[in-house]
Amino acid sequence: MNGNELSKIYAENIKRIRLLKGMSQEQLADLSKITPPYISEIENQRKIGSFETISAIANALEVEPYELFLPQGTVISHNEKRTKDLMKRLRSNFSELVDTMEEFLKD
C-alpha cells in the first residue's frame, strides 16, 4: 500500500465514521479542537495532520487512532484493556440511567 492509498483510506474513514455518528464537520472540529476547514482538507485528502491531530480526531470519533488507517471491512480484534474501558463506561452510563429512573419513579 502506498502513501496515496493510505491517505485515501484515512480520509474516507474519518468521513464515514463521522457520518455514522451523525456528526457534522463543525461538530468534529469542535470536539477535536481543529478548525472546520482543516477537517474538510483532511476529508478531501489535501492534509493528513500531525500525530496530535490524528489522535484528537480519533478521540473525538471514539476510535483508536490506528482504526482510521484500516481498510473498510477490516475486522478489529479488541484487546482486553479496550474491552475493560468499554465495560467501565457502560456501567457508568447504566448507573446514571438507573438513578434517573429511580428519581422519576419517586414522584
Side-chain angles (χ1 to χ4, degrees):
M1 181 177 309
N2 65 39
N4 288 336
E5 292 169 329
L6 192 57
S7 177
K8 182 179 180 186
I9 289 169
Y10 171 67
E12 289 173 349
N13 281 340
I14 291 173
K15 184 174 184 177
R16 181 180 52 77
I17 295 167
R18 175 179 63 77
L19 293 174
L20 282 172
K21 293 183 175 280
M23 296 170 70
S24 67
Q25 286 183 341
E26 290 77 17
Q27 289 169 317
L28 177 57
D30 185 50
L31 289 171
S32 58
K33 311 274 191 278
I34 298 169
T35 65
Y38 200 76
I39 294 292
S40 177
E41 288 188 279
I42 290 171
E43 287 187 0
N44 288 300
Q45 301 176 50
R46 289 188 215 102
K47 302 276 184 185
I48 292 176
S50 65
F51 287 123
E52 289 81 11
T53 299
I54 294 166
S55 179
I57 291 171
N59 287 333
L61 293 173
E62 299 178 326
V63 298
E64 295 295 328
Y66 75 87
E67 292 178 68
L68 298 176
F69 295 94
L70 295 175
Q72 189 172 355
T74 301
V75 177
I76 301 168
S77 174
H78 296 286
N79 65 31
E80 187 176 330
K81 181 188 180 309
R82 186 167 180 190
T83 301
K84 285 181 181 178
D85 289 344
L86 174 61
M87 294 306 294
K88 185 189 303 181
R89 288 172 62 187
L90 288 172
R91 278 189 196 98
S92 173
N93 289 339
F94 185 73
S95 293
E96 289 176 24
L97 177 62
V98 169
D99 291 345
T100 302
M101 290 175 64
E102 285 177 341
E103 196 62 37
F104 177 78
L105 293 173
K106 285 181 184 177
D107 294 334

